[in-house]
Amino acid sequence: METIFLDWLALILRWTHIIVGIAWIGSSFYFMWMDSHLEEPTEPDEEVEGQLWMVHSGGFYRVDKIMVAPKIMPNNLHWFKWEAWWTGVTGVLLLAVVYYLGSAAFLIDSDVADITKLEAVGIGVATLVVGWFLYDGMYMSEWGNKYTKVSGAIGFLGLCVVAFGLSQVLSGRAAYVHVGALIGIIMVLNVWVRIIPGQNNLVNARKNGEEPDPSYGVRAKQRSVHNNYLTLPVVFVMISSHYPMTFGHEHSWAILIALFVIGALVRHWFNLRNSGSDAIWPVPVAIVAIIMLAGYVSVPGFTSGEEEGLKRKVAVAEVQAIVKTRCTSCHSAKPTYPGIEKPPKNIKFETEADIRKHAAQIQKTTVTTNTMPLGNATKMTKEERLAIGHWIASGMPAK
Ligand code: HEC
């Protein structure tokens, strides 16, 4: 009962998280696009910096961008901040429901580190809290703002350290999700703690007839640039749990960082285009990089037993026995593993036919990567993985 409840809670949260995330990212893409398409106003107006016309769903729209801030504030000013807020809130709740309240096998991998669930939760939460304060502290400091190349490099190295460190203590999936959560939290707090107060300062200064403090504007701009480059990487983390070849790889953290760099590069191309440049180089570089990464990742540690000197024959009975001890506690009509109430993804391995039907997936999750058994909860050995790989590679013989 409890797990079913958590599943539904996760469904609602994930759904909402994606919807508000789309709204947030969509509005930020939209404003970037508008900024880059402004033209001279058709009728000269000293207050207007640029203007553009649009047509959408049968309506015509004219947008004026005002220089710094309007002399007279409109009564009704729309803010774009709740999308970020709700993306953050639903993201944190989703993390808690799936990884902290759900089965420990999502969070911990006994092959990676023998820690308790409580320790794993502590490490996860501490990373998120400490990570934000280190990032924000650096960019609030005088040197962090003065030598932005140095602070940028430290920030990137810090991200690598977090990705590497988490991959040494949590399951691959949980490590990815926590790196993503840290980036997400940084982005949300950038909006709420640094960007919106900057805009507030402008609005209030104008209302009181004072000159706005420019330092707020500079900081807001800096944090917006960070958020801009972090957008595509964070979206990858959201979908990463579908791709065991990334988080299940022995160098999962390096693959994550490589994908981040590729994502940021593609974003850089958007930015170049938006600033009027025709430069196309980031695209081929990103494509070559992702092909190289795919090549590197698909060189598996072991695909069949042969390399390891496993010369004996493996018949289906042996594979069935392995699957029975290592998989069916979760993957059967009535799972016995605590916290698992129905066969995950409705995948069952009760009969020989089940195993043959899912052979390619079994290969992917237990031989090429070690993502199954989840968190190696049932302590599958390397020899067993090799035996399954060998059986599949030799054409799944019956005897
Ligand atoms: C502790 C419980 C548990 C054990 C034991 C377990 N699994 Fe899973 N398995 C899961 C869960 C949970 C999922 C769904 C993961 C998700 O939601 O992404 C899953 C998903 C899968 C998938 C689908 C993967 C995908 O992304 O589509 C395959 C294939 C799989 N398991 C194979 C196995 C095999 C083979 C074994 C035994 C060697 C095994 N599992 C042992 C819990 C388990």
PDB file of all heavy atoms in Angstrom, residues 103 105-106 173 241-242 244 323 326-331 337 340 344-345 347 349 358 361-362 364-366 372-374 377-378 380 388, ligand 1:
ATOM      1  N   SER A 103      12.585   2.749  -2.109  1.00  0.00           N
ATOM      2  CA  SER A 103      13.468   1.635  -1.769  1.00  0.00           C
ATOM      3  C   SER A 103      14.929   2.079  -1.743  1.00  0.00           C
ATOM      4  O   SER A 103      15.377   2.844  -2.598  1.00  0.00           O
ATOM      5  CB  SER A 103      13.282   0.531  -2.817  1.00  0.00           C
ATOM      6  OG  SER A 103      14.296  -0.426  -2.674  1.00  0.00           O
ATOM      7  N   ALA A 105      17.378   0.576  -2.556  1.00  0.00           N
ATOM      8  CA  ALA A 105      18.136   0.089  -3.711  1.00  0.00           C
ATOM      9  C   ALA A 105      18.302   1.166  -4.790  1.00  0.00           C
ATOM     10  O   ALA A 105      19.174   1.054  -5.640  1.00  0.00           O
ATOM     11  CB  ALA A 105      17.456  -1.143  -4.296  1.00  0.00           C
ATOM     12  N   PHE A 106      17.482   2.212  -4.766  1.00  0.00           N
ATOM     13  CA  PHE A 106      17.660   3.302  -5.733  1.00  0.00           C
ATOM     14  C   PHE A 106      18.847   4.183  -5.353  1.00  0.00           C
ATOM     15  O   PHE A 106      19.486   4.782  -6.191  1.00  0.00           O
ATOM     16  CB  PHE A 106      16.404   4.187  -5.791  1.00  0.00           C
ATOM     17  CG  PHE A 106      15.316   3.616  -6.644  1.00  0.00           C
ATOM     18  CD1 PHE A 106      14.108   3.233  -6.097  1.00  0.00           C
ATOM     19  CD2 PHE A 106      15.504   3.464  -8.013  1.00  0.00           C
ATOM     20  CE1 PHE A 106      13.099   2.709  -6.890  1.00  0.00           C
ATOM     21  CE2 PHE A 106      14.505   2.944  -8.814  1.00  0.00           C
ATOM     22  CZ  PHE A 106      13.305   2.559  -8.249  1.00  0.00           C
ATOM     23  N   ARG A 173      22.812   6.089 -10.498  1.00  0.00           N
ATOM     24  CA  ARG A 173      21.619   6.884 -10.747  1.00  0.00           C
ATOM     25  C   ARG A 173      21.440   7.995  -9.733  1.00  0.00           C
ATOM     26  O   ARG A 173      21.144   9.132 -10.077  1.00  0.00           O
ATOM     27  CB  ARG A 173      20.440   5.932 -10.541  1.00  0.00           C
ATOM     28  CG  ARG A 173      19.600   5.666 -11.677  1.00  0.00           C
ATOM     29  CD  ARG A 173      18.610   4.636 -11.221  1.00  0.00           C
ATOM     30  NE  ARG A 173      17.361   5.326 -11.018  1.00  0.00           N
ATOM     31  CZ  ARG A 173      16.212   4.917 -11.559  1.00  0.00           C
ATOM     32  NH1 ARG A 173      16.179   3.820 -12.278  1.00  0.00           N
ATOM     33  NH2 ARG A 173      15.118   5.571 -11.359  1.00  0.00           N
ATOM     34  N   SER A 241      17.917   8.753 -16.150  1.00  0.00           N
ATOM     35  CA  SER A 241      17.651   7.432 -15.579  1.00  0.00           C
ATOM     36  C   SER A 241      17.171   6.442 -16.636  1.00  0.00           C
ATOM     37  O   SER A 241      17.102   5.253 -16.393  1.00  0.00           O
ATOM     38  CB  SER A 241      16.673   7.519 -14.411  1.00  0.00           C
ATOM     39  OG  SER A 241      15.409   7.875 -14.889  1.00  0.00           O
ATOM     40  N   HIS A 242      16.856   6.939 -17.846  1.00  0.00           N
ATOM     41  CA  HIS A 242      16.499   6.025 -18.937  1.00  0.00           C
ATOM     42  C   HIS A 242      17.733   5.408 -19.588  1.00  0.00           C
ATOM     43  O   HIS A 242      17.588   4.530 -20.427  1.00  0.00           O
ATOM     44  CB  HIS A 242      15.740   6.774 -20.042  1.00  0.00           C
ATOM     45  CG  HIS A 242      14.419   7.302 -19.604  1.00  0.00           C
ATOM     46  ND1 HIS A 242      13.343   6.472 -19.393  1.00  0.00           N
ATOM     47  CD2 HIS A 242      14.007   8.551 -19.320  1.00  0.00           C
ATOM     48  CE1 HIS A 242      12.324   7.221 -19.010  1.00  0.00           C
ATOM     49  NE2 HIS A 242      12.699   8.475 -18.951  1.00  0.00           N
ATOM     50  N   PRO A 244      20.987   3.589 -18.787  1.00  0.00           N
ATOM     51  CA  PRO A 244      21.944   2.917 -17.907  1.00  0.00           C
ATOM     52  C   PRO A 244      23.373   2.922 -18.449  1.00  0.00           C
ATOM     53  O   PRO A 244      24.310   2.833 -17.680  1.00  0.00           O
ATOM     54  CB  PRO A 244      21.428   1.471 -17.852  1.00  0.00           C
ATOM     55  CG  PRO A 244      20.065   1.483 -18.413  1.00  0.00           C
ATOM     56  CD  PRO A 244      19.911   2.706 -19.230  1.00  0.00           C
ATOM     57  N   VAL A 323      19.129 -16.098 -12.484  1.00  0.00           N
ATOM     58  CA  VAL A 323      18.051 -15.108 -12.497  1.00  0.00           C
ATOM     59  C   VAL A 323      17.105 -15.336 -11.317  1.00  0.00           C
ATOM     60  O   VAL A 323      16.635 -14.399 -10.682  1.00  0.00           O
ATOM     61  CB  VAL A 323      17.304 -15.166 -13.855  1.00  0.00           C
ATOM     62  CG1 VAL A 323      16.021 -14.362 -13.808  1.00  0.00           C
ATOM     63  CG2 VAL A 323      18.209 -14.660 -14.973  1.00  0.00           C
ATOM     64  N   ARG A 326      18.920 -13.961  -8.231  1.00  0.00           N
ATOM     65  CA  ARG A 326      19.332 -12.547  -8.232  1.00  0.00           C
ATOM     66  C   ARG A 326      18.257 -11.572  -8.699  1.00  0.00           C
ATOM     67  O   ARG A 326      18.387 -10.375  -8.458  1.00  0.00           O
ATOM     68  CB  ARG A 326      20.567 -12.354  -9.138  1.00  0.00           C
ATOM     69  CG  ARG A 326      21.719 -13.266  -8.830  1.00  0.00           C
ATOM     70  CD  ARG A 326      22.248 -13.070  -7.421  1.00  0.00           C
ATOM     71  NE  ARG A 326      23.382 -13.964  -7.196  1.00  0.00           N
ATOM     72  CZ  ARG A 326      23.859 -14.270  -6.001  1.00  0.00           C
ATOM     73  NH1 ARG A 326      23.315 -13.753  -4.913  1.00  0.00           N
ATOM     74  NH2 ARG A 326      24.876 -15.081  -5.892  1.00  0.00           N
ATOM     75  N   CYS A 327      17.262 -12.039  -9.420  1.00  0.00           N
ATOM     76  CA  CYS A 327      16.328 -11.080 -10.034  1.00  0.00           C
ATOM     77  C   CYS A 327      14.871 -11.227  -9.580  1.00  0.00           C
ATOM     78  O   CYS A 327      14.162 -10.227  -9.471  1.00  0.00           O
ATOM     79  CB  CYS A 327      16.356 -11.185 -11.560  1.00  0.00           C
ATOM     80  SG  CYS A 327      17.997 -11.278 -12.279  1.00  0.00           S
ATOM     81  N   THR A 328      14.422 -12.468  -9.351  1.00  0.00           N
ATOM     82  CA  THR A 328      12.969 -12.641  -9.202  1.00  0.00           C
ATOM     83  C   THR A 328      12.427 -12.124  -7.878  1.00  0.00           C
ATOM     84  O   THR A 328      11.216 -11.965  -7.755  1.00  0.00           O
ATOM     85  CB  THR A 328      12.559 -14.118  -9.379  1.00  0.00           C
ATOM     86  OG1 THR A 328      13.427 -14.907  -8.603  1.00  0.00           O
ATOM     87  CG2 THR A 328      12.605 -14.538 -10.833  1.00  0.00           C
ATOM     88  N   SER A 329      13.316 -11.819  -6.912  1.00  0.00           N
ATOM     89  CA  SER A 329      12.769 -11.233  -5.683  1.00  0.00           C
ATOM     90  C   SER A 329      12.091  -9.902  -6.007  1.00  0.00           C
ATOM     91  O   SER A 329      11.191  -9.467  -5.285  1.00  0.00           O
ATOM     92  CB  SER A 329      13.853 -11.067  -4.619  1.00  0.00           C
ATOM     93  OG  SER A 329      14.926 -10.338  -5.135  1.00  0.00           O
ATOM     94  N   CYS A 330      12.520  -9.249  -7.103  1.00  0.00           N
ATOM     95  CA  CYS A 330      11.819  -8.036  -7.545  1.00  0.00           C
ATOM     96  C   CYS A 330      10.991  -8.305  -8.811  1.00  0.00           C
ATOM     97  O   CYS A 330       9.855  -7.866  -8.913  1.00  0.00           O
ATOM     98  CB  CYS A 330      12.804  -6.904  -7.843  1.00  0.00           C
ATOM     99  SG  CYS A 330      13.679  -6.294  -6.390  1.00  0.00           S
ATOM    100  N   HIS A 331      11.626  -9.009  -9.772  1.00  0.00           N
ATOM    101  CA  HIS A 331      10.959  -9.192 -11.073  1.00  0.00           C
ATOM    102  C   HIS A 331      10.113 -10.462 -11.130  1.00  0.00           C
ATOM    103  O   HIS A 331      10.444 -11.421 -11.830  1.00  0.00           O
ATOM    104  CB  HIS A 331      12.000  -9.214 -12.200  1.00  0.00           C
ATOM    105  CG  HIS A 331      12.659  -7.889 -12.419  1.00  0.00           C
ATOM    106  ND1 HIS A 331      12.054  -6.855 -13.101  1.00  0.00           N
ATOM    107  CD2 HIS A 331      13.858  -7.407 -12.022  1.00  0.00           C
ATOM    108  CE1 HIS A 331      12.863  -5.818 -13.136  1.00  0.00           C
ATOM    109  NE2 HIS A 331      13.963  -6.115 -12.487  1.00  0.00           N
ATOM    110  N   TYR A 337      10.951  -8.640  -2.376  1.00  0.00           N
ATOM    111  CA  TYR A 337      11.930  -7.660  -1.902  1.00  0.00           C
ATOM    112  C   TYR A 337      11.204  -6.506  -1.206  1.00  0.00           C
ATOM    113  O   TYR A 337      10.239  -5.956  -1.744  1.00  0.00           O
ATOM    114  CB  TYR A 337      12.769  -7.133  -3.074  1.00  0.00           C
ATOM    115  CG  TYR A 337      13.986  -6.391  -2.607  1.00  0.00           C
ATOM    116  CD1 TYR A 337      15.149  -7.084  -2.282  1.00  0.00           C
ATOM    117  CD2 TYR A 337      13.969  -5.012  -2.437  1.00  0.00           C
ATOM    118  CE1 TYR A 337      16.264  -6.413  -1.812  1.00  0.00           C
ATOM    119  CE2 TYR A 337      15.080  -4.330  -1.961  1.00  0.00           C
ATOM    120  CZ  TYR A 337      16.232  -5.041  -1.655  1.00  0.00           C
ATOM    121  OH  TYR A 337      17.331  -4.386  -1.180  1.00  0.00           O
ATOM    122  N   ILE A 340       9.283  -3.265  -2.817  1.00  0.00           N
ATOM    123  CA  ILE A 340       8.889  -3.496  -4.213  1.00  0.00           C
ATOM    124  C   ILE A 340       7.588  -4.301  -4.168  1.00  0.00           C
ATOM    125  O   ILE A 340       7.576  -5.417  -3.658  1.00  0.00           O
ATOM    126  CB  ILE A 340       9.972  -4.302  -4.987  1.00  0.00           C
ATOM    127  CG1 ILE A 340      11.340  -3.632  -4.893  1.00  0.00           C
ATOM    128  CG2 ILE A 340       9.543  -4.554  -6.431  1.00  0.00           C
ATOM    129  CD1 ILE A 340      11.588  -2.481  -5.827  1.00  0.00           C
ATOM    130  N   PRO A 344       8.941  -4.434 -11.289  1.00  0.00           N
ATOM    131  CA  PRO A 344       9.341  -3.136 -11.832  1.00  0.00           C
ATOM    132  C   PRO A 344       9.224  -3.117 -13.351  1.00  0.00           C
ATOM    133  O   PRO A 344       9.642  -4.056 -14.023  1.00  0.00           O
ATOM    134  CB  PRO A 344      10.809  -3.003 -11.420  1.00  0.00           C
ATOM    135  CG  PRO A 344      10.993  -3.956 -10.292  1.00  0.00           C
ATOM    136  CD  PRO A 344      10.024  -5.057 -10.517  1.00  0.00           C
ATOM    137  N   LYS A 345       8.639  -2.043 -13.870  1.00  0.00           N
ATOM    138  CA  LYS A 345       8.406  -1.871 -15.310  1.00  0.00           C
ATOM    139  C   LYS A 345       7.646  -3.053 -15.894  1.00  0.00           C
ATOM    140  O   LYS A 345       7.754  -3.357 -17.077  1.00  0.00           O
ATOM    141  CB  LYS A 345       9.715  -1.662 -16.054  1.00  0.00           C
ATOM    142  CG  LYS A 345      10.446  -0.412 -15.612  1.00  0.00           C
ATOM    143  CD  LYS A 345      11.153   0.263 -16.740  1.00  0.00           C
ATOM    144  CE  LYS A 345      11.411   1.723 -16.376  1.00  0.00           C
ATOM    145  NZ  LYS A 345      12.296   2.383 -17.296  1.00  0.00           N
ATOM    146  N   ILE A 347       8.360  -6.027 -15.705  1.00  0.00           N
ATOM    147  CA  ILE A 347       9.261  -7.040 -16.268  1.00  0.00           C
ATOM    148  C   ILE A 347       9.366  -8.195 -15.269  1.00  0.00           C
ATOM    149  O   ILE A 347       9.732  -7.984 -14.110  1.00  0.00           O
ATOM    150  CB  ILE A 347      10.654  -6.440 -16.547  1.00  0.00           C
ATOM    151  CG1 ILE A 347      10.521  -5.348 -17.611  1.00  0.00           C
ATOM    152  CG2 ILE A 347      11.640  -7.520 -16.994  1.00  0.00           C
ATOM    153  CD1 ILE A 347      11.823  -4.690 -17.989  1.00  0.00           C
ATOM    154  N   PHE A 349      10.727 -12.311 -14.683  1.00  0.00           N
ATOM    155  CA  PHE A 349      11.631 -13.350 -15.192  1.00  0.00           C
ATOM    156  C   PHE A 349      11.273 -14.685 -14.563  1.00  0.00           C
ATOM    157  O   PHE A 349      12.090 -15.280 -13.884  1.00  0.00           O
ATOM    158  CB  PHE A 349      13.084 -13.025 -14.851  1.00  0.00           C
ATOM    159  CG  PHE A 349      13.581 -11.728 -15.417  1.00  0.00           C
ATOM    160  CD1 PHE A 349      14.044 -10.721 -14.583  1.00  0.00           C
ATOM    161  CD2 PHE A 349      13.597 -11.515 -16.788  1.00  0.00           C
ATOM    162  CE1 PHE A 349      14.512  -9.533 -15.100  1.00  0.00           C
ATOM    163  CE2 PHE A 349      14.073 -10.318 -17.313  1.00  0.00           C
ATOM    164  CZ  PHE A 349      14.531  -9.324 -16.465  1.00  0.00           C
ATOM    165  N   HIS A 358      13.506 -11.148 -22.882  1.00  0.00           N
ATOM    166  CA  HIS A 358      14.168  -9.921 -22.401  1.00  0.00           C
ATOM    167  C   HIS A 358      15.678 -10.002 -22.490  1.00  0.00           C
ATOM    168  O   HIS A 358      16.375  -9.213 -21.843  1.00  0.00           O
ATOM    169  CB  HIS A 358      13.770  -9.652 -20.947  1.00  0.00           C
ATOM    170  CG  HIS A 358      12.326  -9.315 -20.769  1.00  0.00           C
ATOM    171  ND1 HIS A 358      11.785  -8.159 -21.260  1.00  0.00           N
ATOM    172  CD2 HIS A 358      11.306  -9.978 -20.174  1.00  0.00           C
ATOM    173  CE1 HIS A 358      10.500  -8.114 -20.963  1.00  0.00           C
ATOM    174  NE2 HIS A 358      10.177  -9.220 -20.306  1.00  0.00           N
ATOM    175  N   GLN A 361      17.698  -6.840 -23.028  1.00  0.00           N
ATOM    176  CA  GLN A 361      17.665  -5.918 -21.884  1.00  0.00           C
ATOM    177  C   GLN A 361      18.489  -6.458 -20.721  1.00  0.00           C
ATOM    178  O   GLN A 361      19.111  -5.706 -19.990  1.00  0.00           O
ATOM    179  CB  GLN A 361      16.218  -5.747 -21.415  1.00  0.00           C
ATOM    180  CG  GLN A 361      15.465  -4.682 -22.176  1.00  0.00           C
ATOM    181  CD  GLN A 361      14.030  -4.692 -21.735  1.00  0.00           C
ATOM    182  OE1 GLN A 361      13.347  -5.712 -21.894  1.00  0.00           O
ATOM    183  NE2 GLN A 361      13.568  -3.606 -21.162  1.00  0.00           N
ATOM    184  N   ILE A 362      18.456  -7.768 -20.564  1.00  0.00           N
ATOM    185  CA  ILE A 362      19.251  -8.373 -19.488  1.00  0.00           C
ATOM    186  C   ILE A 362      20.731  -8.122 -19.764  1.00  0.00           C
ATOM    187  O   ILE A 362      21.487  -7.731 -18.882  1.00  0.00           O
ATOM    188  CB  ILE A 362      18.952  -9.893 -19.375  1.00  0.00           C
ATOM    189  CG1 ILE A 362      17.480 -10.100 -18.994  1.00  0.00           C
ATOM    190  CG2 ILE A 362      19.884 -10.555 -18.372  1.00  0.00           C
ATOM    191  CD1 ILE A 362      17.070 -11.560 -18.881  1.00  0.00           C
ATOM    192  N   LYS A 364      22.009  -5.707 -21.442  1.00  0.00           N
ATOM    193  CA  LYS A 364      22.323  -4.289 -21.265  1.00  0.00           C
ATOM    194  C   LYS A 364      22.461  -3.931 -19.784  1.00  0.00           C
ATOM    195  O   LYS A 364      23.338  -3.163 -19.399  1.00  0.00           O
ATOM    196  CB  LYS A 364      21.196  -3.472 -21.900  1.00  0.00           C
ATOM    197  CG  LYS A 364      21.509  -2.012 -22.082  1.00  0.00           C
ATOM    198  CD  LYS A 364      20.442  -1.329 -22.905  1.00  0.00           C
ATOM    199  CE  LYS A 364      19.238  -0.958 -22.056  1.00  0.00           C
ATOM    200  NZ  LYS A 364      18.163  -0.312 -22.812  1.00  0.00           N
ATOM    201  N   THR A 365      21.582  -4.496 -18.960  1.00  0.00           N
ATOM    202  CA  THR A 365      21.557  -4.043 -17.564  1.00  0.00           C
ATOM    203  C   THR A 365      22.450  -4.853 -16.619  1.00  0.00           C
ATOM    204  O   THR A 365      22.824  -4.352 -15.567  1.00  0.00           O
ATOM    205  CB  THR A 365      20.117  -4.077 -17.008  1.00  0.00           C
ATOM    206  OG1 THR A 365      19.572  -5.370 -17.262  1.00  0.00           O
ATOM    207  CG2 THR A 365      19.238  -3.019 -17.635  1.00  0.00           C
ATOM    208  N   THR A 366      22.766  -6.086 -16.998  1.00  0.00           N
ATOM    209  CA  THR A 366      23.571  -6.868 -16.037  1.00  0.00           C
ATOM    210  C   THR A 366      24.942  -7.261 -16.561  1.00  0.00           C
ATOM    211  O   THR A 366      25.806  -7.654 -15.781  1.00  0.00           O
ATOM    212  CB  THR A 366      22.858  -8.176 -15.620  1.00  0.00           C
ATOM    213  OG1 THR A 366      22.712  -8.987 -16.772  1.00  0.00           O
ATOM    214  CG2 THR A 366      21.522  -7.926 -14.994  1.00  0.00           C
ATOM    215  N   MET A 372      21.629  -3.496 -13.045  1.00  0.00           N
ATOM    216  CA  MET A 372      20.745  -4.471 -12.399  1.00  0.00           C
ATOM    217  C   MET A 372      21.613  -5.592 -11.857  1.00  0.00           C
ATOM    218  O   MET A 372      22.659  -5.874 -12.457  1.00  0.00           O
ATOM    219  CB  MET A 372      19.738  -5.040 -13.401  1.00  0.00           C
ATOM    220  CG  MET A 372      18.590  -4.110 -13.717  1.00  0.00           C
ATOM    221  SD  MET A 372      17.552  -3.859 -12.269  1.00  0.00           S
ATOM    222  CE  MET A 372      17.140  -2.140 -12.494  1.00  0.00           C
ATOM    223  N   PRO A 373      21.229  -6.258 -10.803  1.00  0.00           N
ATOM    224  CA  PRO A 373      20.124  -5.963  -9.895  1.00  0.00           C
ATOM    225  C   PRO A 373      20.268  -4.549  -9.318  1.00  0.00           C
ATOM    226  O   PRO A 373      21.399  -4.152  -9.019  1.00  0.00           O
ATOM    227  CB  PRO A 373      20.285  -7.000  -8.783  1.00  0.00           C
ATOM    228  CG  PRO A 373      21.183  -8.054  -9.340  1.00  0.00           C
ATOM    229  CD  PRO A 373      22.023  -7.404 -10.370  1.00  0.00           C
ATOM    230  N   LEU A 374      19.147  -3.871  -9.170  1.00  0.00           N
ATOM    231  CA  LEU A 374      19.150  -2.508  -8.665  1.00  0.00           C
ATOM    232  C   LEU A 374      19.985  -2.407  -7.385  1.00  0.00           C
ATOM    233  O   LEU A 374      19.726  -3.111  -6.409  1.00  0.00           O
ATOM    234  CB  LEU A 374      17.702  -2.103  -8.384  1.00  0.00           C
ATOM    235  CG  LEU A 374      17.447  -0.620  -8.160  1.00  0.00           C
ATOM    236  CD1 LEU A 374      17.720   0.180  -9.414  1.00  0.00           C
ATOM    237  CD2 LEU A 374      16.004  -0.409  -7.725  1.00  0.00           C
ATOM    238  N   ALA A 377      21.295  -5.236  -5.027  1.00  0.00           N
ATOM    239  CA  ALA A 377      20.634  -5.602  -3.778  1.00  0.00           C
ATOM    240  C   ALA A 377      20.747  -7.096  -3.491  1.00  0.00           C
ATOM    241  O   ALA A 377      20.777  -7.513  -2.333  1.00  0.00           O
ATOM    242  CB  ALA A 377      19.166  -5.202  -3.848  1.00  0.00           C
ATOM    243  N   THR A 378      20.834  -7.904  -4.543  1.00  0.00           N
ATOM    244  CA  THR A 378      20.875  -9.354  -4.334  1.00  0.00           C
ATOM    245  C   THR A 378      22.294  -9.917  -4.494  1.00  0.00           C
ATOM    246  O   THR A 378      22.480 -11.120  -4.622  1.00  0.00           O
ATOM    247  CB  THR A 378      19.921 -10.064  -5.312  1.00  0.00           C
ATOM    248  OG1 THR A 378      20.153  -9.541  -6.626  1.00  0.00           O
ATOM    249  CG2 THR A 378      18.465  -9.834  -4.941  1.00  0.00           C
ATOM    250  N   MET A 380      24.746  -9.963  -6.849  1.00  0.00           N
ATOM    251  CA  MET A 380      25.127 -10.762  -8.012  1.00  0.00           C
ATOM    252  C   MET A 380      26.653 -10.681  -8.178  1.00  0.00           C
ATOM    253  O   MET A 380      27.248  -9.619  -8.010  1.00  0.00           O
ATOM    254  CB  MET A 380      24.444 -10.174  -9.245  1.00  0.00           C
ATOM    255  CG  MET A 380      24.618 -11.003 -10.481  1.00  0.00           C
ATOM    256  SD  MET A 380      23.565 -10.311 -11.776  1.00  0.00           S
ATOM    257  CE  MET A 380      23.624 -11.607 -12.965  1.00  0.00           C
ATOM    258  N   ILE A 388      25.989 -15.136 -17.871  1.00  0.00           N
ATOM    259  CA  ILE A 388      24.837 -14.691 -18.664  1.00  0.00           C
ATOM    260  C   ILE A 388      25.304 -14.111 -19.993  1.00  0.00           C
ATOM    261  O   ILE A 388      24.767 -14.433 -21.064  1.00  0.00           O
ATOM    262  CB  ILE A 388      23.993 -13.652 -17.887  1.00  0.00           C
ATOM    263  CG1 ILE A 388      23.351 -14.317 -16.665  1.00  0.00           C
ATOM    264  CG2 ILE A 388      22.918 -13.044 -18.793  1.00  0.00           C
ATOM    265  CD1 ILE A 388      22.431 -13.416 -15.875  1.00  0.00           C
TER     266      ILE A 388
HETATM  267  C1  HEC B   1      15.905  -4.847  -5.725  1.00  0.00           C
HETATM  268  C2  HEC B   1      14.989  -5.049  -6.771  1.00  0.00           C
HETATM  269  C3  HEC B   1      15.508  -5.481  -8.132  1.00  0.00           C
HETATM  270  C4  HEC B   1      16.282  -6.562  -8.435  1.00  0.00           C
HETATM  271  C5  HEC B   1      16.823  -7.609  -7.491  1.00  0.00           C
HETATM  272  C6  HEC B   1      16.431  -6.557  -9.863  1.00  0.00           C
HETATM  273  N1  HEC B   1      15.795  -5.472 -10.408  1.00  0.00           N
HETATM  274 FE1  HEC B   1      15.629  -5.008 -12.382  1.00  0.00          FE
HETATM  275  N2  HEC B   1      14.559  -3.364 -11.904  1.00  0.00           N
HETATM  276  C7  HEC B   1      14.237  -2.949 -10.633  1.00  0.00           C
HETATM  277  C8  HEC B   1      13.579  -1.676 -10.702  1.00  0.00           C
HETATM  278  C9  HEC B   1      13.029  -0.878  -9.528  1.00  0.00           C
HETATM  279  C10 HEC B   1      13.512  -1.322 -12.064  1.00  0.00           C
HETATM  280  C11 HEC B   1      12.899  -0.071 -12.677  1.00  0.00           C
HETATM  281  C12 HEC B   1      13.944   0.996 -12.737  1.00  0.00           C
HETATM  282  C13 HEC B   1      13.394   2.291 -13.203  1.00  0.00           C
HETATM  283  O1  HEC B   1      12.317   2.682 -12.772  1.00  0.00           O
HETATM  284  O2  HEC B   1      14.102   2.917 -13.992  1.00  0.00           O
HETATM  285  C14 HEC B   1      14.128  -2.408 -12.805  1.00  0.00           C
HETATM  286  C15 HEC B   1      14.233  -2.435 -14.169  1.00  0.00           C
HETATM  287  C16 HEC B   1      14.815  -3.476 -14.869  1.00  0.00           C
HETATM  288  C17 HEC B   1      14.902  -3.534 -16.309  1.00  0.00           C
HETATM  289  C18 HEC B   1      14.350  -2.511 -17.254  1.00  0.00           C
HETATM  290  C19 HEC B   1      15.385  -1.462 -17.459  1.00  0.00           C
HETATM  291  C20 HEC B   1      14.916  -0.344 -18.328  1.00  0.00           C
HETATM  292  O3  HEC B   1      15.482   0.729 -18.171  1.00  0.00           O
HETATM  293  O4  HEC B   1      14.001  -0.532 -19.111  1.00  0.00           O
HETATM  294  C21 HEC B   1      15.550  -4.709 -16.616  1.00  0.00           C
HETATM  295  C22 HEC B   1      15.895  -5.204 -17.999  1.00  0.00           C
HETATM  296  C23 HEC B   1      15.904  -5.343 -15.378  1.00  0.00           C
HETATM  297  N3  HEC B   1      15.440  -4.577 -14.336  1.00  0.00           N
HETATM  298  C24 HEC B   1      16.586  -6.526 -15.282  1.00  0.00           C
HETATM  299  C25 HEC B   1      16.963  -7.115 -14.095  1.00  0.00           C
HETATM  300  C26 HEC B   1      17.743  -8.328 -14.026  1.00  0.00           C
HETATM  301  C27 HEC B   1      18.241  -9.108 -15.207  1.00  0.00           C
HETATM  302  C28 HEC B   1      17.917  -8.591 -12.697  1.00  0.00           C
HETATM  303  C29 HEC B   1      18.684  -9.722 -12.067  1.00  0.00           C
HETATM  304  C30 HEC B   1      20.030  -9.911 -12.517  1.00  0.00           C
HETATM  305  C31 HEC B   1      17.224  -7.557 -11.947  1.00  0.00           C
HETATM  306  N4  HEC B   1      16.667  -6.657 -12.836  1.00  0.00           N
HETATM  307  C32 HEC B   1      17.161  -7.497 -10.578  1.00  0.00           C
HETATM  308  C33 HEC B   1      14.472  -3.626  -9.467  1.00  0.00           C
HETATM  309  C34 HEC B   1      15.217  -4.779  -9.377  1.00  0.00           C
END
